[in-house]
Amino acid sequence: MTSAIASVLLALSLNAIALKEARSQVRVETFSGSGQAGFANSNGQVGQFNRPHGLAIDAKGNLYVSDRGNHAIRVVASNGDIATLAGNGKEGNADGTGPAASFRQPIAVAVDKSGNVYVADRDNHVIRLIDPSGNVVILAGTGTNGFANGPSSSAQFNEPYGVALSPDEKTFYVADYLNHALRAVDLATKQVTTLAGNGTAGFANDVGDKAQFNQPYNVKADANGRLNVPDQNNHAIRRVDPDGTVSTLAGNGQSGFADGKPSDTRFNNPTGLAVGPNGTVYVSDRNNHRIRAISPAGETTTVAGDGTAGQQDGPGQVAKFNRPIDLVLATDGSLVVSEETNHRLRKILLK
């Protein structure tokens, strides 16, 4: 064996050891939800969700949950206690206040500095707005699926799945799932445009309508205004600049499981992400039942989850998830994960 090969093997071995030690320092805990599907407001161990999906957090540490199976928007306090902001557990399409409002599979949320909550109301094909008092109105969309830009009252979406605000809160972005596009809503003019994608599924890095996605599941903005998108059926994480330029952070269109460099990394239906203050992108790798991390240098590693579906707390390398959907960074620096099949929120203590 040559000294060069020996050096490479030693480096790989040391890297594997370092990753194992890093994952052993990560701990996973159950945060909120009983683990049984239901619709109950109560403390974190008794309260219930039904397929919790998209997550958002406000400056006070309140966590907003799009409780998809309950057709409601829930609020979780920092101690895990669950309350309901809007919706009543029954699907529908009605504006109103609190339980008088109804949604049809709300799937993602975003919250602004004033406490207004934006909701991707998937099967109603609209974006709803909930003010801090719980009053719900339609912000954009006609209620009929389609692909149309223009005034928010006549614009159309086809199963909006993700929502995000620009850092200055002047623009609202929508991951338009079945239109395979990223849409933008100017909150001052109430005009809807298409930032990237063209309505046809594909996998192309380019600008505007020359770029392609395949069922973008979510969207989150970073501090620089760049959008990060889990591109579900391309099994990749994409990045969209404010001018509509699309690139790929990690993944190459093939499903699987592999850490490493961007082109070597494999995901299996990624559905959610969160961007850390240092630029690390944390990914909920749904069908791999794992939480992954993409470093600012582009290297992907596994943070937590052993790859088998289950419910087990503990160190990162032995913890089990069951279809983790979305992520958000809590005010204490931990990651909160929504789990579709465990009907729970979990917390990942990174150090």
Side-chain angles (χ1 to χ4, degrees):
M1 181 183 296
T2 68
S3 59
I5 293 174
S7 297
V8 170
L9 291 175
L10 177 60
L12 290 172
S13 177
L14 291 174
N15 186 53
I17 293 171
L19 287 173
K20 185 175 180 180
E21 290 178 350
R23 292 183 71 196
S24 69
Q25 295 176 14
V26 169
R27 293 198 63 82
V28 178
E29 300 177 351
T30 297
F31 175 51
S32 187
S34 70
Q36 299 296 317
F39 188 33
N41 295 324
S42 191
N43 67 59
Q45 301 305 310
V46 178
Q48 292 179 317
F49 303 100
N50 188 350
R51 302 178 70 195
H53 264 62
L55 303 173
I57 195 164
D58 67 16
K60 298 178 182 178
N62 297 307
L63 187 68
Y64 297 84
V65 182
S66 49
D67 195 0
R68 178 178 177 178
N70 280 323
H71 314 287
I73 306 303
R74 316 292 292 280
V75 183
V76 181
S78 58
N79 64 357
D81 290 356
I82 304 168
T84 300
L85 177 64
N88 54 34
K90 297 179 180 179
E91 67 176 351
N93 186 11
D95 291 340
T97 301
S102 59
F103 306 86
R104 187 169 283 118
Q105 296 206 47
I107 201 163
V109 285
V111 59
D112 67 19
K113 295 181 180 68
S114 299
N116 298 297
V117 179
Y118 301 77
V119 181
D121 192 0
R122 194 193 81 161
D123 285 2
N124 284 323
H125 309 289
V126 297
I127 307 303
R128 315 288 287 279
L129 178 65
I130 310 174
D131 70 20
S133 69
N135 187 52
V136 180
V137 296
I138 292 176
L139 176 67
T142 65
T144 301
N145 65 307
F147 190 18
N149 292 320
S152 60
S153 59
S154 59
Q156 291 181 316
F157 305 91
N158 194 350
E159 293 196 359
Y161 258 65
V163 287
L165 284 159
S166 62
D168 60 10
E169 298 191 345
K170 293 181 179 180
T171 307
F172 181 76
Y173 297 102
V174 180
D176 199 357
Y177 187 71
L178 291 185
N179 281 326
H180 313 289
L182 266 292
R183 314 288 294 281
V185 183
D186 186 310
L187 292 175
T189 65
K190 300 296 191 295
Q191 291 290 313
V192 178
T193 57
T194 299
L195 179 65
N198 55 29
T200 300
F203 190 21
N205 293 325
D206 214 313
V207 181
D209 61 5
K210 296 179 182 178
Q212 289 183 313
F213 304 89
N214 194 342
Q215 297 185 353
Y217 203 100
N218 210 326
V219 57
K220 300 286 180 73
D222 65 19
N224 296 312
R226 299 173 301 186
L227 303 176
N228 299 276
V229 180
D231 194 1
Q232 183 189 16
N233 277 359
N234 280 325
H235 311 287
I237 306 304
R238 315 290 293 281
R239 175 164 283 168
V240 186
D241 290 336
D243 67 353
T245 299
V246 179
S247 57
T248 300
L249 283 182
N252 68 356
Q254 297 178 11
S255 65
F257 171 69
D259 288 334
K261 296 182 292 186
S263 59
D264 296 332
T265 298
R266 299 287 185 275
F267 301 96
N268 192 345
N269 290 124
T271 55
L273 55 78
V275 184
N278 67 345
T280 297
V281 176
Y282 298 95
V283 179
S284 52
D285 192 2
R286 186 183 71 178
N287 288 358
N288 277 324
H289 312 290
R290 290 177 167 105
I291 305 304
R292 318 282 292 281
I294 307 170
S295 74
E299 189 83 5
T300 297
T301 56
T302 298
V303 175
D306 70 356
T308 58
Q311 161 68 37
Q312 181 173 319
D313 293 339
Q317 73 270 24
V318 300
K320 296 181 189 295
F321 299 92
N322 199 338
R323 291 169 67 90
I325 292 293
D326 199 15
L327 297 166
V328 71
L329 277 166
T331 52
D332 62 3
S334 65
L335 283 170
V336 178
V337 183
S338 58
E339 281 187 283
E340 180 177 41
T341 309
N342 280 332
H343 309 290
R344 273 179 168 151
L345 305 184
R346 311 280 290 285
K347 183 171 278 195
I348 302 176
L349 309 176
L350 297 175
K351 286 187 180 179

